[in-house]
Amino acid sequence: NEAGDVLICTLTLNTACLEIVKSFDHHDDYVSSLIYVPTKKTLITGSGDGAMSVIDLKKVRLIASSKNFDEDVTCLTGLS
């Protein structure tokens, strides 16, 4: 990266040894929001590119991605 560049990715970590398990670079802009859903073992991301994505943390893979909205997705909230 050059000075001023922003890294656009979501990382999954092995917290026992702080090792990066996988990185996802599917967003075209900054990642603004993350929600962990423990019952589904998923991570939901929102981004400045106007998209939301769902990552399966058990299988460590992207399982869904929305079409881009007209505006940045700057805030997510979980409902139970």
Side-chain angles (χ1 to χ4, degrees):
N1 285 347
E2 293 184 26
D5 284 355
V6 176
L7 183 61
I8 305 165
C9 71
T10 305
L11 302 175
T12 57
L13 300 173
N14 177 341
T15 56
C17 62
L18 295 180
E19 174 186 43
I20 295 173
V21 175
K22 175 115 174 129
S23 68
F24 298 89
D25 59 356
H26 55 280
H27 286 295
D28 295 327
D29 208 337
Y30 64 94
V31 174
S32 60
S33 300
L34 297 170
I35 294 179
Y36 173 61
V37 183
T39 57
K40 299 286 187 183
K41 300 278 193 270
T42 56
L43 185 66
I44 303 170
T45 63
S47 173
D49 62 10
M52 295 184 298
S53 299
V54 181
I55 298 168
D56 183 325
L57 296 175
K58 285 174 122 177
K59 297 179 181 176
V60 193
R61 66 182 181 97
L62 180 69
I63 57 174
S65 189
S66 72
K67 293 183 178 179
N68 291 13
F69 295 100
D70 292 335
E71 299 292 329
D72 298 4
V73 177
T74 57
C75 184
L76 299 171
T77 189
L79 301 173
S80 54

